[in-house]
Amino acid sequence: MISLFVRLKGFYSERPPAHSLWSSTMSFLRTVLNDSVIIHPPGFYIIGFQTFPYISVYFIFLAFVYVVTVVFNSLVICIIAFDHCLHTPKFLAVVNLAVIDVILNTCTIPSMIKIFLITDNFIPFNLCFVQMYVYYTFVSLESYALAILAYDRLIAICFPLRQNSINTLCSMSCIVGLTWSFALGVTAFTTGIMTRLSFCNSLRVFSYFCDYAPVFRLACNDYTMQWSAASFLTVLILGGPFIFILLSYITILVIVFRMKSLDSRVKALATCVEHIILVAVFYIPLLVIFLIGFYLGLIDPDQRVLSLSLASCIPPCINPIVYSLKTKEIKIRVLALVRKNKISTDPKKCCKNSGL
């Protein structure tokens, strides 16, 4: 019986089946096969944004967001990589965030444009889980990267005299490496257990990508383990770092208000403003969507898809603009680069320098 199913699966994987043909085949398999056989379809159909008018305008906006994300984050990465003066713990954390931002938006935005503008919404089974794995890995890393930046601010403000001994390049490299290893491992487990589900009902995923909860809810066998993993992952990748950031800023505020000089207080708090903006833009929308949508189910499905796509795609775009490029050291190097290009392209300057 299993060999018969494997041949059937191989037949369907040659080309995407019609929905009606797949439904009738699955009805037959449900009556013939027992619960111990896992049914994997050739793929899924990503369904979302169906009720929004002029949705093509939104995807043109997302294409602009993607270009800005890649250009500005790549600029930050190049400036830090090629300037040895910026090879410090703080800028290792900044370049870590920039790399994560580029990969996170690359994972979703090109796929969204293909699905909803070109109307090619079929995604093969294995590719679906690859996208799911990459997306949740880098959402996790984005969350941890913001926590690492909070840790950097905590050490700089609370232990200014011991900053260079506590927050070394080696220790920061270890912290970044641990977060990558942890995110890759935890997401591999939570994505891997999805392959234990049988999909013999609808193949329509109501989201803008192969989203974890909308996919496991399509299963025709028990998905209690997957639901528990999704709850655990939400707490782990959003709740844990967010609580750490809150505690860090509470500690920072206590230290700042103990300072006698008002000028010192203002300077200390000014170094945290951009990071607080990043934290608010990233965590608040995602926490609201997951708490209200995933657990309470009180959010409209279309609004959930739109809100989640914005909450995922906008932070990687604004991170380099709000934080990285406004950092004093990077700003100086960007302005120097712009001035150098102006001088090299000014014909009067070129003529003067050449003695003409």
Side-chain angles (χ1 to χ4, degrees), residues 186-200:
V186 169
T187 314
F189 169 75
T190 52
T191 306
I193 61 175
M194 292 287 284
T195 59
R196 300 177 61 179
L197 296 176
S198 287
F199 298 94
C200 50

Side-chain angles (χ1 to χ4, degrees), residues 3 9 156 183 187 221 258 282 316 351:
S3 62
K9 181 184 171 187
T187 314
N221 56 347
R258 285 179 179 175
F282 178 76
C351 292

Side-chain angles (χ1 to χ4, degrees), residues 186 189-191 193-194 212 216 223-236 294-295:
V186 169
F189 169 75
T190 52
T191 306
I193 61 175
M194 292 287 284
Y212 197 84
F216 75 61
Y223 53 75
T224 304
M225 180 185 291
Q226 288 73 20
W227 191 94
S228 301
S231 303
F232 177 69
L233 194 65
T234 303
V235 172
L236 205 62
F294 184 74
Y295 293 106

Side-chain angles (χ1 to χ4, degrees), residues 104-122:
L104 181 57
N105 270 3
T106 300
C107 167
T108 53
I109 293 180
S111 174
M112 290 169 67
I113 292 170
K114 168 185 169 288
I115 289 169
F116 298 107
L117 280 187
I118 307 175
T119 63
D120 180 13
N121 67 336
F122 180 81

Side-chain angles (χ1 to χ4, degrees), residues 314-342:
I314 297 300
C317 173
I318 69 170
N319 284 351
I321 299 169
V322 171
Y323 186 81
S324 302
L325 294 176
K326 290 190 72 175
T327 305
K328 181 182 176 182
E329 294 88 345
I330 295 180
K331 187 191 293 185
I332 290 170
R333 283 153 182 81
V334 170
L335 291 174
L337 187 65
V338 171
R339 290 194 190 101
K340 184 179 178 181
N341 288 335
K342 283 184 178 180

